[in-house]
């Protein structure tokens, strides 16, 4: 039954007395004695009024039902739904849950992949570049893929390596000049400045 106050689907609602005899509600098949509920089922429903139970209903079908008592009328309300139909609904909910879970896992996987592209991979390139610089290779230029904090750090790293490379080139140039000057000084120390011949010190 579906009304404006509930969204619960049921096959039938019966009004029964304490003996389990159906007072009203439902339409049992013609020719079947389905006007009363067996004692065991009645006892099970009365003992656990808040828990659904599985039993053979008034229509002789396997159903899931529950019972509520109306104290003022000394009557009981039995609500039943077909068990197969109920399990179809459960299966549908399970499939929906699996689809949602799969979608969430896929979303998390995509987010992890994007995180790896934007943070983990650039940090790995920075570490590898630092290892190359530490081993003496200054011909390192890391790509800057974005303007994030990692991208800024990569720019700073590239600038540092560029300055080190320029400093090393300048140092090589100064060393070349010093070697040339040292050679000139050595030549001056062993030759006569006028004749260009070896001096007395070099002869000795």
């Amino acid at each position: 039954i579906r009304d404006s106050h509930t969204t619960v689907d049921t096959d039938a609602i019966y009004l029964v007395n304490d003996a389990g005899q159906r007072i009203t509600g439902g339409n049992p098949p013609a020719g079947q004695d389905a006007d009363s509920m067996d004692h065991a089922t009645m006892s099970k429903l009365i003992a656990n009024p808040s828990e659904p139970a599985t039993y053979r209903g008034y229509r002789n079908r396997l159903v899931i039902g529950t019972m509520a008592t109306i104290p003022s009328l000394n009557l009981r309300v039995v609500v039943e739904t077909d068990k197969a139909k109920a399990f179809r609904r459960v299966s549908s909910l399970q499939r929906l849950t699996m689809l949602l879970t799969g979608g969430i896992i896929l979303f998390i996987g995509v987010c992890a992949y994007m995180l790896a592209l934007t943070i983990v991979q650039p940090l790995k390139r920075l570490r590898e570049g630092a290892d190359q610089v530490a081993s003496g290779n200054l011909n390192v230029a890391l790509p800057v893929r974005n303007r994030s904090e990692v991208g800024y750090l990569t720019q700073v790293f590239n600038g540092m390596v560029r300055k080190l490379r320029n400093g090393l080139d300048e140092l090589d140039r100064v060393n070349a000049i010093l070697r040339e000057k040292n050679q000139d000084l050595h030549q001056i120390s062993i030759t006569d400045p006028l004749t260009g011949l070896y001096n007395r010190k070099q002869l000795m």
Side-chain angles (χ1 to χ4, degrees):
I1 293 175
R2 187 187 297 273
D3 55 28
S4 60
H5 302 289
T6 180
T7 58
V8 178
D9 292 331
T10 59
D11 286 337
I13 295 182
Y14 302 100
L15 194 63
V16 301
N17 58 20
D18 289 338
Q21 293 179 337
R22 184 171 58 85
I23 305 300
T24 181
N27 295 305
Q32 293 188 19
D33 183 15
D35 287 334
S36 63
M37 182 180 296
D38 64 271
H39 180 71
T41 301
M42 190 73 176
S43 300
K44 181 163 57 175
L45 292 175
I46 292 174
N48 301 287
S50 61
E51 296 182 6
T54 301
Y55 58 91
R56 289 283 175 182
Y58 288 105
R59 298 185 182 186
N60 200 29
R61 292 182 305 177
L62 198 60
V63 298
I64 298 176
T66 185
M67 177 181 289
T69 303
I70 307 176
S72 59
L73 300 178
N74 199 25
L75 295 175
R76 303 178 189 277
V77 178
V78 178
V79 180
E80 294 178 352
T81 185
D82 187 80
K83 185 177 180 180
K85 184 188 297 184
F87 276 97
R88 281 196 300 270
R89 295 170 188 159
V90 171
S91 298
S92 178
L93 288 175
Q94 286 178 339
R95 287 192 296 270
L96 179 60
T97 302
M98 291 177 64
L99 286 174
L100 289 175
T101 303
I104 292 173
I105 293 175
L106 179 62
F107 176 75
I108 293 174
V110 171
C111 289
Y113 177 73
M114 296 302 296
L115 183 65
L117 289 180
T118 57
I119 296 179
V120 177
Q121 287 297 329
L123 288 177
K124 182 179 179 181
R125 285 195 296 268
L126 277 173
R127 180 181 60 80
E128 292 174 350
D131 290 340
Q132 293 183 38
V133 172
S135 64
N137 180 20
L138 297 180
N139 295 319
V140 178
L142 301 179
V144 180
R145 301 292 174 81
N146 51 57
R147 297 181 178 274
S148 63
E149 294 296 329
V150 178
Y152 175 74
L153 185 60
T154 304
Q155 289 180 338
V156 172
F157 177 83
N158 288 336
M160 178 191 67
V161 174
R162 186 167 53 253
K163 290 181 179 179
L164 286 174
R165 188 166 54 245
N166 293 338
L168 185 61
D169 292 341
E170 180 66 19
L171 184 60
D172 289 340
R173 189 183 66 83
V174 171
N175 285 335
I177 294 174
L178 288 176
R179 283 194 298 269
E180 184 180 350
K181 296 299 183 182
N182 286 334
Q183 185 66 29
D184 292 341
L185 289 175
H186 176 69
Q187 190 67 23
I188 291 172
S189 68
I190 63 175
T191 59
D192 182 76
L194 294 178
T195 62
L197 299 175
Y198 288 129
N199 56 20
R200 179 175 178 275
K201 179 180 179 182
Q202 178 64 15
L203 292 175
M204 291 298 294

